Structure formats: C-alpha cells, structure tokens
Amino acid sequence: MLTILTITSLFLTACHHKSPGMPEAAITLGWRLAPGMEIRYDTHSVYSVGEDTIERQESWTYLVRAVDGRGNYALEAHITHLDASISHAGQRILESELKQAIAQERIRLDLSPVHLHLSMDGRMDSIEASRWSDTCPHRLLALLLPAHPILPGARWADPATARPLSHFTPSDVELKVSGTQQMKDLRWNRHRGKHAISALPTHLDAEIHTSAVVLPDDARFPAIEIDGDTEWNLDKGLMDHRWISIRLRGGKGYEETGSLFMEMWRRP
C-alpha cells in the first residue's frame, strides 16, 4: 500500500521533472513523406452567416501516391467519417431530419477522392475535388514553410493562405492579397491528436502564427481577414494541429456578417 509520504514524493518528482532542452541552432521545417505512407486527420468546420450555423466533423486518410525528385508529393484523400449539424437562431435542427442528407453527402464524397500536390515546403500546387467547397478543409495542409533554417521569432510571407478566398469576390474587382507566417516559439508537447497521452513531453513542436487578408479595391465588397495557429511536429515532419478563423469585415450592402472556422488534428 502506498503511504501518503510515497504519494507525495511521486507527485513532487513529476512536478519537478525537467523537459528536454531546446535546440540552440536554427531549425528547418518541412514535410517528410514517402510513397505508400498514410496520414490521417480529423477536421472540424463551423460556417456562420446571419442566424444560420453549419458544423461539420470529418475524418480523412491521405495516401502518398508518389514523390518526385524535387520533393513534390502526390496525395489522394479518402473520407472515413462525416457528421454535421445545422442551427437557426440558436435552435438546432433535429438529427433525424439531417440523417438522410448526411448519408447522401458521405456517398458523394466516397465516390470522389480529393487529389492534391503538396511540396516539402508546404506549397499546394494543385487540388482537385468535385466542388470548390470540398477543398476547404484540405487547404489547412497548405502552410508555406521557409526553405532555410530559422529561429523562433522568424517571419515570412505567405499570400497563398489567403489567395483561394479571392473566390468570393467578383473576378473584375482588383484585390490586394497578403499574408505572413511567424514561428512564435518551440514547445515540448504531450499531445497526440486531441488528447494527452503522457505526463511527460513526447515531441518538440514549432508554434506558427498565421495572419492574412484579402482586401478589395472596391469598398462595396468586404475585406476577408484570416487568423490562425499551427503546431508543427519537428520529430515527424508533419502538421499535428492547425486552426484558421476567417471573417468578413466592411463592405456596403453586406448586412449579414459571415465567418468560417476550420480546425485539423492529426491522428496517430
């Protein structure tokens, strides 16, 4: 039987456990994938406009089909889970009323795998899906990473995060698209996916902050602001977690404000 003294000693030992040291040299970020490799992600998205809110929970498996000599990966994504809910003015529509629609959507996505090309430095050169909206959760994988080693605090341009959102503005309107990424810090992480698996650190994460904007020259159209954070697993060379918040600001005649929140976790 453990005595109170023994339990107290164990507790103090755990509390005073020192995390492994931080690397002193600059680090290089990048995807490390290989043909035949599978990576799995859960996604959660919340789309709100006026009094309506749509939520979706999805799980996807990405199969690395091929890699070329320049480190460009061809991925094929297959859905493995889908659930959704709809609310109007704070009242949730009954699950029984959505059951058939969710089943039909799952069948549609099953019949149309998503194909994308992702480079080692996070550029998404192409993405093919049945609908533009189908590409949204997969675009969380598109995080431009610097090709050279960096230290915490480093900042670099990444307009590619905001560029797909120009889809919402008429093609004849001039746009200013800009964006930055910043590695805020390095942190030892105890998590795999959404849950802690150990009292001790398991791997080193780079914490990266995203900030971007799509700014129309025509004041009648709203600006689109993007904000988010990423946890990049330096041990695996994979994205562990990322969230992005997208909001409309300004614009004449846009009485209903809209927003989109997307989040992605890697499953071990």
Side-chain angles (χ1 to χ4, degrees):
M1 179 180 294
L2 290 175
T3 65
I4 294 177
L5 180 60
T6 303
I7 294 173
T8 302
S9 176
L10 290 171
F11 175 76
L12 291 175
T13 299
C15 288
H16 287 87
H17 174 82
K18 293 183 179 179
S19 297
M22 293 292 180
E24 297 180 1
I27 61 170
T28 300
L29 303 172
W31 288 92
R32 296 201 301 271
L33 305 176
M37 181 177 178
E38 288 187 346
I39 48 177
R40 300 173 177 85
Y41 285 96
D42 295 328
T43 68
H44 175 220
S45 61
V46 183
Y47 175 63
S48 298
V49 57
E51 295 185 316
D52 296 320
T53 299
I54 301 172
E55 292 192 51
R56 286 173 65 118
Q57 295 82 36
E58 305 171 31
S59 296
W60 290 84
T61 295
Y62 296 83
L63 172 63
V64 183
R65 285 291 189 186
V67 58
D68 65 20
R70 295 178 296 174
N72 297 313
Y73 305 106
L75 278 66
E76 182 176 288
H78 293 265
I79 193 165
T80 58
H81 173 77
L82 173 66
D83 198 4
S85 65
I86 300 176
S87 300
H88 176 72
Q91 297 297 315
R92 198 163 185 168
I93 295 177
L94 295 176
E95 292 183 13
S96 57
E97 298 180 24
L98 296 176
K99 187 175 181 180
Q100 184 176 358
I102 293 173
Q104 291 175 344
E105 176 72 350
R106 170 64 190 271
I107 292 172
R108 184 185 71 83
L109 292 172
D110 267 332
L111 294 174
S112 305
V114 176
H115 294 87
L116 57 96
H117 286 85
L118 190 67
S119 65
M120 291 179 66
D121 63 1
R123 287 177 294 105
M124 188 173 287
D125 294 328
S126 67
I127 180 168
E128 301 172 10
S130 296
R131 303 173 182 173
W132 186 91
S133 58
D134 291 346
T135 69
C136 288
H138 308 287
R139 292 187 186 278
L140 288 172
L141 297 173
L143 172 70
L144 186 63
L145 304 169
H148 56 277
I150 59 173
L151 293 168
R155 188 189 302 267
W156 60 96
D158 181 12
T161 293
R163 190 164 287 125
L165 299 175
S166 61
H167 169 86
F168 295 106
T169 306
S171 58
D172 59 344
V173 176
E174 293 290 331
L175 298 172
K176 179 181 178 182
V177 180
S178 61
T180 61
Q181 306 288 352
Q182 182 180 20
M183 188 172 79
K184 298 188 298 183
D185 207 353
L186 298 175
R187 180 169 64 91
W188 286 99
N189 202 329
R190 298 178 175 88
H191 295 262
R192 283 291 185 267
K194 303 179 187 179
H195 308 290
I197 62 168
S198 170
L200 305 180
T202 59
H203 65 275
L204 190 63
D205 271 345
E207 297 182 336
I208 302 170
H209 179 68
T210 299
S211 179
V213 64
V214 177
L215 187 63
D217 281 349
D218 190 331
R220 293 176 300 171
F221 299 96
I224 303 173
E225 297 178 337
I226 303 102
D227 188 68
D229 283 309
T230 300
E231 294 176 7
W232 187 270
N233 189 320
L234 295 172
D235 178 42
K236 298 290 187 180
L238 298 170
M239 180 186 294
D240 268 356
H241 175 231
R242 190 183 190 192
W243 66 264
I244 283 181
S245 177
I246 301 167
R247 292 187 177 276
L248 301 181
R249 175 176 56 82
K252 298 177 181 178
Y254 284 80
E255 298 178 359
E256 291 187 336
T257 59
S259 66
L260 174 62
F261 176 84
M262 298 188 294
E263 192 166 15
M264 172 180 274
W265 295 271
R266 184 174 67 89
R267 287 186 288 124

